[in-house]
Amino acid sequence: MQQREEKQLESALDSLIQRVNDLKSSIAAMIFKVENEYETLNWPQFLDNFALLSGHLTSLSKLLNHDKCPPLRNLTVLPLNLSPERDEQLAQLTEGRVTTFAHDLVPDYLRTKLEPMAESKMLHFEQKAATVTYENAQKQVAAYQKVVSNIWDIVSKTREEWEVESSSRGNTQQHSSVSDTHLLVTAIGMGKGLKPNPNANGAPGQPTGGMMVPPQGRPGSAGQGPIPPSTQTMTMNKTPSTIKTNIKSATQIHPYNR
C-alpha cells in the first residue's frame, strides 16, 4: 500500500513538474516579446499569449483536482541536508536560481504560510471587510453590477452595429465591370476595338476612320481643335478680296503694262 502511494505521488509530481515547466516557458516567451518585440507586438498576439498562459493554468488546476493526484496539502517537505556550500545538482534543477540550500534560505523556500508583511496586509483587509454592514455590501455589489451591465450593453450594441455593417458591405451590389474597364482602357490607349469610319473619304472636316478627334478648345489657344465652319468661311471670304485688291494695284503701277 505504501509503495503504491509512493508511485502515485511520484507520477503526479512528474506531471506537475511538466505542467509547471510549460507554464514557465510560456511566461518567459511572453516576457521576451514584451521586452524585445514591443514595436511590432499587437493586441491580438498579446491575447493569444495570454490565452496560452490561461490554458496552462487550467490544465494545472485540473491535474491538482484529479482523483489520482494525492492531496499535497497533507504532505510536508523537510530539509535533509543544509549546507552553505554550492550544490551543483540544486543549481541544475533550479536553472541557476538557487545555488545553496543554507539556513537563511530554507524558511523562504519551504514556507507554508504567507510572509509576515503579506499576512499583516491580509489581516487588515479581512478586518476592514468585517466592519462593512450587510446593507452597504449589497449596495456596493448592486452598484458594481450596474456598471458591469452598462458596459456589457455598450459592448453588445457596438458588436451588433459592426455585424450589421459588415453584412451590408458583403451584400453591396456591383456597379462596375472589370472587363469593360479593361476594354475602355485598351481602346483609349491603343485604339483596340475601334471600327473604321465609313465617311473617311467624305467631305472635308470629317474625321477619318480609326483616328481620335481631339476636343475643340478655345479659339487662339495652343493645341486648339478644328476651326468651326462659320469661322473658316469668313476667313476664306476675306482672303480672296485682299488678294484681288493687291493684284489690281500692282497692275496699275507696273511699268510694263500691256
Side-chain angles (χ1 to χ4, degrees):
M1 185 67 179
Q2 186 176 1
Q3 292 180 355
R4 182 181 177 182
E5 291 179 355
E6 289 179 356
K7 290 182 179 179
Q8 189 175 2
L9 177 62
E10 186 177 356
S11 61
L13 289 177
D14 292 338
S15 301
L16 288 174
I17 290 172
Q18 184 179 358
R19 297 293 188 278
V20 171
N21 288 331
D22 294 339
L23 179 61
K24 183 182 65 176
S25 301
S26 300
I27 293 173
M30 188 173 182
I31 292 174
F32 178 81
K33 288 184 178 181
V34 171
E35 292 180 351
N36 299 297
E37 300 178 3
Y38 58 90
E39 294 181 354
T40 58
L41 184 65
N42 53 20
W43 186 243
Q45 294 177 355
F46 186 82
L47 289 180
D48 292 340
N49 292 327
F50 192 79
L52 185 61
L53 295 178
S54 179
H56 287 316
L57 290 173
T58 303
S59 62
L60 184 60
S61 62
K62 287 182 179 180
L63 184 60
L64 290 173
N65 296 326
H66 199 269
D67 296 336
K68 294 183 179 181
C69 183
L72 300 179
R73 294 179 178 272
N74 299 332
L75 301 177
T76 304
V77 180
L78 298 176
L80 300 178
N81 186 15
L82 298 178
S83 175
E85 301 295 334
R86 179 182 176 86
D87 190 352
E88 295 297 337
Q89 185 178 1
L90 181 62
Q92 184 178 0
L93 291 174
T94 58
E95 297 181 357
R97 290 189 296 271
V98 181
T99 58
T100 59
F101 206 60
H103 297 77
D104 55 344
L105 299 177
V106 169
D108 294 331
Y109 288 113
L110 301 183
R111 183 184 298 275
T112 57
K113 294 178 65 177
L114 295 175
E115 295 183 357
M117 185 180 296
E119 188 174 2
S120 63
K121 289 184 178 180
M122 288 296 296
L123 290 175
H124 175 69
F125 291 146
E126 290 177 358
Q127 293 176 1
K128 185 177 180 180
T131 56
V132 179
T133 60
Y134 179 78
E135 295 179 356
N136 292 334
Q138 291 297 322
K139 289 181 180 179
Q140 292 180 1
V141 171
Y144 289 144
Q145 289 180 352
K146 184 177 180 180
V147 172
V148 173
S149 62
N150 289 334
I151 295 175
W152 177 258
D153 293 339
I154 293 172
V155 172
S156 301
K157 185 177 179 180
T158 306
R159 182 180 180 180
E160 292 177 358
E161 292 177 356
W162 287 347
E163 291 178 353
V164 171
E165 185 178 356
S166 61
S167 62
S168 63
R169 288 180 180 177
N171 298 329
T172 304
Q173 296 181 358
Q174 187 176 2
H175 299 286
S176 63
S177 175
V178 180
S179 59
D180 293 344
T181 304
H182 288 312
L183 289 176
L184 288 174
V185 172
T186 53
I188 295 174
M190 296 178 288
K192 184 178 179 181
L194 296 178
K195 295 181 180 180
N197 191 355
N199 298 325
N201 298 324
Q206 293 183 355
T208 58
M211 295 181 63
M212 301 297 295
V213 181
Q216 296 182 2
R218 295 176 58 187
S221 61
Q224 64 181 0
I227 303 175
S230 59
T231 308
Q232 187 176 4
T233 305
M234 293 174 62
T235 306
M236 292 178 64
N237 293 334
K238 289 181 180 181
T239 302
S241 62
T242 306
I243 295 173
K244 185 176 180 181
T245 305
N246 292 338
I247 292 174
K248 185 176 180 181
S249 59
T251 53
Q252 292 177 357
I253 63 174
H254 201 276
Y256 299 100
N257 187 10
R258 294 179 183 178

